[in-house]
Amino acid sequence: MGTVSKALSLLSYFSRQRPEIGLSDLARMSGMNKATVYRHMSEMAAQGIVEQTQTGKSYRLGAEVLRLAALREAAVPLLEVAREQLRHLSDATGETAHFSIIQGTKLNALAHHYSTRHGTRVTMEDAEVLSFHGTASGLSILAYADTAFRDQVLAEPLTAHTPHTETDPARIRDRLNEITQTGFAQSVGGFEADVHSIATPIFGADARPIGALAIAAPVARMTPDMISLAQTELALAAQTLTRRIGGFAPADASPTPEETTA
Amino acid sequence: MGTVSKALSLLSYFSRQRPEIGLSDLARMSGMNKATVYRHMSEMAAQGIVEQTQTGKSYRLGAEVLRLAALREAAVPLLEVAREQLRHLSDATGETAHFSIIQGTKLNALAHHYSTRHGTRVTMEDAEVLSFHGTASGLSILAYADTAFRDQVLAEPLTAHTPHTETDPARIRDRLNEITQTGFAQSVGGFEADVHSIATPIFGADARPIGALAIAAPVARMTPDMISLAQTELALAAQTLTRRIGGFAPADASPTPEETTA
DNA sequence: GTATGTTGGTTCATTATTTGAACCATTGGT
DNA sequence: ACCAATGGTTCAAATAATGAACCAACATAC
């Protein structure tokens, strides 16, 4: 691993739960020497990628990443198009819609939209790390991912987020097969208790999944009619999103909206 | 300059005008050796910061920057709060409102909001680089920036974006003094022909300007009444934004909304 | 008030990494 | 068939990264 990778890998320790990290902590977490971490952070700070809090101590992400993200959106308007679909999805279903993408071996929630139809709703946070095995989004992606990626994810220890999380790799593989039949993954309380989610993957130019659209509702409101509606809308939104970002669904991919509506 | 800085500095060559860059071009632009650029880009690609287009050739910014930006927003909700104010500003004035921040020695437009009141409007692109001397936003920032920064910006060659762009450093300094009197900067056709902009700065925790809010309208629609309205709304929005991000306006800063309304 | 354990930051000889000229293999144009 | 690009690769030489030990500053504990 080169110096640049090492420096950039420091960024992976920042999370929603830990948006600011001190020098010593960062050195401990990364296992790197304190002096090394200091220089890496200083260099990244000079480039605006990170900055120090006004107390002068701990580090956090810098404003430059905003520029980079805006530029990325200009080149590949993934989130912009996704937000459009999310708005439509939550309006059509009256429930929370969210979008997440694969980044390395992680699944990151990047955008969401709430509906105002109900007083209670499933709440989301952007930049939250989701699990592949415990969420509908993750499962839908795994179902269409190549074997190597699936094996890699399922080889790691699978944490049980709730009592209902399926953590047995063999049983998860069975579910993945079922998912490819319908094109939709479901998770009932697998990540958060009392949340029923339905998801379908989004594909990149190489026909491999790059993310997922999902609708999340309280278990009680996810009636058969609702499931049917959610699937219809998800299929349409996913197809639109995949197409708009220049992606291609694989031959065995999620059904077209016509098929679903039937 | 360390290796990490050099690698990260490659990112600065990506712009709205040039969202994808090939290896040889990037080497030429940066003046670095082709092999060096190749390894830097490879390492950054491994971290998801950049990626290669499916034609396999040129590089562009990667999806990881979206995660980083989402995380930055979670830690410092600058854009979220700014967008709120932009919405209000464009609704209240019926014109285009936009927000830009200083990054290094550049001024970057990062968010905007259009009004639907008129058929014609000033259009903006996010992630666009603005000039300090040619825009109302830039001037408003310069007016409140420390001397060192102001000198640095005015020492560089000042390009004339339009025939109306003021490029004489001495005359610009005079205008900056006037700006500190009122708290607002104006630019009539200084960046784009037929665009009249009014801007006021946003301050960080150290009472130094970090960005600016602006309203841009076609010259003909920027009547005295409109200017007055824009200033009132800008002052309020800027004060709110500065406060919400934990910033402080300096003692000699832009007037409070009360003073302006008078 | 002193001792102790933090913290962020710095130093410098040793070491490992980056660097760049020259080199391929492809591609596209003439 | 040629030429001039392109992205990518190699390897000795040069340069930069590294890490143990070291500050000074700040808490907390005794």
Side-chain angles (χ1 to χ4, degrees):
Chain A
M1 190 153 80
T3 311
V4 177
S5 292
K6 278 186 224 165
L8 291 176
S9 73
L10 288 173
L11 299 177
S12 68
Y13 295 99
F14 292 92
S15 69
R16 176 159 279 277
Q17 285 74 36
R18 218 163 182 331
E20 298 182 0
I21 314 182
L23 178 60
S24 297
D25 275 358
L26 202 46
R28 263 190 298 276
M29 291 181 195
S30 62
M32 295 182 198
N33 187 282
K34 191 161 57 104
T36 304
V37 173
Y38 174 72
R39 270 182 308 253
H40 285 340
M41 294 309 282
S42 297
E43 290 208 62
M44 290 196 285
Q47 302 296 320
I49 303 290
V50 299
E51 67 185 18
Q52 285 183 285
T53 54
Q54 45 248 35
T55 61
K57 306 291 182 182
S58 46
Y59 296 88
R60 69 176 171 214
L61 289 164
E64 173 70 2
V65 300
L66 299 179
R67 189 190 75 93
L68 296 177
L71 225 40
R72 158 78 188 191
E73 274 295 294
V76 186
L78 180 60
L79 285 185
E80 184 194 320
V81 182
R83 287 202 184 95
E84 213 173 272
Q85 298 302 320
L86 290 176
R87 230 173 293 132
H88 174 77
L89 281 174
S90 73
D91 285 353
T93 61
E95 299 293 348
T96 298
H98 63 98
F99 176 59
S100 51
I101 67 172
I102 308 176
Q103 279 170 217
T105 173
K106 296 263 194 300
L107 182 64
N108 277 294
L110 280 188
H112 67 268
H113 199 268
Y114 298 134
S115 167
T116 53
R117 189 179 305 174
H118 302 285
T120 63
R121 68 184 70 151
V122 178
T123 56
M124 295 283 308
E125 299 280 8
D126 291 343
E128 202 172 16
V129 178
L130 307 180
S131 88
F132 279 104
H133 68 283
T135 65
S137 297
L139 290 170
S140 76
I141 289 170
L142 278 189
Y144 289 95
D146 49 78
T147 322
F149 186 80
R150 191 158 47 211
D151 291 349
Q152 188 188 349
V153 169
L154 294 181
E156 285 168 27
L158 306 176
T159 56
H161 309 289
T162 75
H164 290 97
T165 309
E166 178 64 72
T167 57
D168 177 12
R171 290 235 279 275
I172 291 175
R173 283 177 195 275
D174 288 345
R175 285 187 63 182
L176 296 183
N177 285 332
E178 292 166 24
I179 290 168
T180 49
Q181 305 294 313
T182 64
F184 300 102
Q186 299 200 28
S187 166
V188 183
F191 195 65
E192 295 258 21
D194 196 44
V195 172
H196 185 153
S197 300
I198 306 180
T200 195
I202 303 300
F203 298 95
D206 51 1
R208 293 196 305 173
I210 59 169
L213 283 172
I215 290 173
V219 170
R221 287 211 297 265
M222 200 58 102
T223 60
D225 276 3
M226 186 54 166
I227 293 175
S228 173
L229 172 65
Q231 292 186 337
T232 307
E233 294 294 343
L234 276 174
L236 181 58
Q239 190 182 267
T240 304
L241 181 49
T242 292
R243 187 165 39 77
R244 291 277 295 281
I245 63 173
F248 294 98
D252 62 333
S254 50
T256 63
E258 289 72 23
E259 292 169 350
T260 315
T261 322
Chain B
M1 190 155 78
T3 311
V4 177
S5 292
K6 279 185 223 163
L8 290 176
S9 74
L10 289 172
L11 299 178
S12 68
Y13 296 99
F14 291 93
S15 70
R16 173 158 279 278
Q17 286 72 36
R18 219 162 181 330
E20 296 182 2
I21 314 181
L23 179 61
S24 298
D25 275 357
L26 202 47
R28 262 191 298 275
M29 293 182 195
S30 62
M32 295 183 198
N33 187 281
K34 192 160 56 104
T36 304
V37 173
Y38 174 71
R39 269 182 308 253
H40 284 341
M41 294 309 282
S42 297
E43 289 208 61
M44 289 196 286
Q47 301 296 319
I49 303 291
V50 299
E51 66 184 19
Q52 285 183 284
T53 54
Q54 45 249 33
T55 62
K57 306 289 182 184
S58 46
Y59 296 87
R60 69 176 171 214
L61 289 164
E64 174 69 1
V65 300
L66 299 179
R67 189 190 75 93
L68 296 178
L71 224 40
R72 158 79 187 189
E73 274 296 292
V76 187
L78 180 59
L79 286 185
E80 185 195 319
V81 181
R83 289 202 181 96
E84 211 174 272
Q85 298 302 319
L86 290 176
R87 229 173 294 133
H88 175 77
L89 281 174
S90 73
D91 285 354
T93 60
E95 299 293 348
T96 299
H98 63 98
F99 176 59
S100 51
I101 66 171
I102 309 174
Q103 281 171 214
T105 173
K106 295 263 193 299
L107 182 65
N108 277 294
L110 279 187
H112 67 266
H113 199 267
Y114 297 134
S115 166
T116 53
R117 189 179 305 173
H118 302 285
T120 63
R121 67 185 71 152
V122 178
T123 56
M124 293 284 309
E125 300 280 8
D126 290 343
E128 202 172 14
V129 178
L130 307 180
S131 89
F132 280 104
H133 67 283
T135 65
S137 297
L139 290 171
S140 75
I141 289 170
L142 278 189
Y144 288 96
D146 49 78
T147 322
F149 186 80
R150 190 158 49 211
D151 291 348
Q152 187 187 348
V153 169
L154 293 180
E156 285 168 27
L158 305 175
T159 57
H161 309 288
T162 75
H164 291 96
T165 309
E166 179 62 73
T167 58
D168 178 12
R171 288 235 280 275
I172 290 175
R173 283 176 196 278
D174 287 345
R175 285 188 61 182
L176 296 183
N177 285 331
E178 294 167 23
I179 289 168
T180 48
Q181 304 295 313
T182 64
F184 301 101
Q186 297 200 29
S187 167
V188 183
F191 194 66
E192 295 259 21
D194 195 45
V195 172
H196 185 151
S197 299
I198 306 180
T200 196
I202 304 300
F203 298 94
D206 51 2
R208 295 196 305 172
I210 58 169
L213 281 172
I215 290 173
V219 170
R221 287 211 297 266
M222 200 58 102
T223 60
D225 277 2
M226 185 55 169
I227 292 174
S228 174
L229 172 65
Q231 291 187 339
T232 307
E233 294 293 343
L234 276 174
L236 181 58
Q239 189 182 269
T240 305
L241 181 48
T242 292
R243 188 166 36 79
R244 291 277 297 278
I245 63 173
F248 294 98
D252 62 333
S254 50
T256 62
E258 288 72 20
E259 292 167 351
T260 315
T261 322

